Amino acid sequence: MQEKARLLREIEEEFRATAGYTGRRRLSPMVREALAAVPRQEFVPPELREEAYGNVPLPIGHGQTISQPYIVALMTDLLDPAPAHRVLEVGTGCGYQAAVLAELVAQVYSVEVVPDLGEAAAARLRRLGYDNVSVRLGDGGQGWPEAAPFDGILVTAAADAIPEALVAQLAAGGRMVIPVDGPDAGQDLLLVTKGDDGAVRSEPVLPVAFVPLVRPRASTD
Ligand code: SAH
């Protein structure tokens, strides 16, 4: 499909243009293949199908968006996914990022706080044959303790700080990619790594703009 090829070229150009920030000059061939394999038009509302291959975020209802393809590509690339990996995604939304991950790793666990979105995404992923994605409704800030530890954790909504529960559920040698509110205005995409000795390091990769990570009130409030 011509539109998809153009989108992939645009993503590759943006990788080169942002390499000064991200340190990643090239989109890895595996991630490129995964992006090429996922039918993005299936993840946007029917009236926006024509725009599915633009390098822009699009509204998916409930005030939420499907992330910009370049950002999906970058976050996926930063995780250094490998076929045996088990990955946690926080913020399923329409399920597009989960599908891209599902092309690359053994098992994807994705948590969504808006029930309508999570249910629709789970049904869509099933229909498209992504049987290695499990979707759960709830607060992704708590992670998915029963399925931990994860080789990778990808958070697609901006937190005010790196959630402790997610750090705890990251495997030694694992990587987490998460947008976090910056010291002033704006957000930074952070790459958080846990060394084989358990030491946690975090480095800012790129200024970004995500919807906020909702913190559902605990039932005891
Ligand atoms: N991953 C999506 C982007 C989703 S936008 C994609 O592939 O395009 C961010 C999503 O995070 C929204 O659907 C929002 O409802 C969800 N979200 C926000 N706070 C959350 C929380 N605490 N737990 C789980 N999901 C959350």
Side-chain angles (χ1 to χ4, degrees):
M1 195 207 282
Q2 238 179 333
E3 283 184 307
K4 203 179 245 185
R6 195 190 54 218
L7 174 59
L8 287 166
R9 274 201 307 279
E10 284 174 12
I11 291 172
E12 285 172 328
E13 274 164 28
E14 200 159 347
F15 256 71
R16 282 192 289 276
T18 52
Y21 279 107
T22 64
R24 301 227 160 182
R25 175 153 287 281
R26 282 194 66 222
L27 175 64
S28 77
M30 266 174 51
V31 175
R32 190 184 194 284
E33 257 177 59
L35 291 167
V38 178
R40 197 164 191 268
Q41 76 278 4
E42 298 288 343
F43 292 85
V44 305
E47 64 277 15
L48 292 175
R49 288 216 166 150
E50 305 259 297
E51 296 164 58
Y53 292 94
N55 190 18
V56 289
L58 294 170
I60 57 167
H62 298 273
Q64 303 301 329
T65 56
I66 176 171
S67 300
Q68 182 195 5
Y70 158 72
I71 289 290
V72 172
L74 177 65
M75 292 176 81
T76 308
D77 207 86
L78 288 168
L79 271 191
D80 287 345
H85 282 179
R86 300 162 68 259
V87 171
L88 172 70
E89 179 194 27
V90 175
T92 317
C94 62
Y96 178 69
Q97 171 76 71
V100 172
L101 289 168
E103 296 278 349
L104 291 158
V105 304
Q107 188 67 39
V108 180
Y109 299 86
S110 186
V111 187
E112 170 57 53
V113 77
V114 178
D116 282 356
L117 289 176
E119 281 162 15
R124 178 179 293 122
L125 289 162
R126 242 191 338 267
R127 173 168 61 79
L128 295 171
Y130 288 104
D131 52 12
N132 59 339
V133 182
S134 310
V135 177
R136 172 187 272 189
L137 305 179
D139 175 17
Q142 305 302 316
W144 192 318
E146 305 89 319
F150 301 101
D151 305 293
I153 299 180
L154 203 157
V155 182
T156 66
D160 49 13
I162 303 169
E164 290 289 332
L166 299 186
V167 175
Q169 291 172 37
L170 192 61
R175 298 161 77 85
M176 166 157 51
V177 179
I178 176 171
V180 171
D181 294 340
D184 306 314
Q187 306 157 2
D188 291 312
L189 190 64
L190 303 184
L191 173 61
V192 180
T193 49
K194 196 184 256 188
D196 291 330
D197 58 355
V200 177
R201 288 188 45 208
S202 121
E203 51 179 294
V205 177
L206 190 75
V208 287
F210 278 83
V211 296
L213 185 74
V214 174
R215 282 188 183 259
R217 259 179 290 147
S219 50
T220 49
D221 277 5

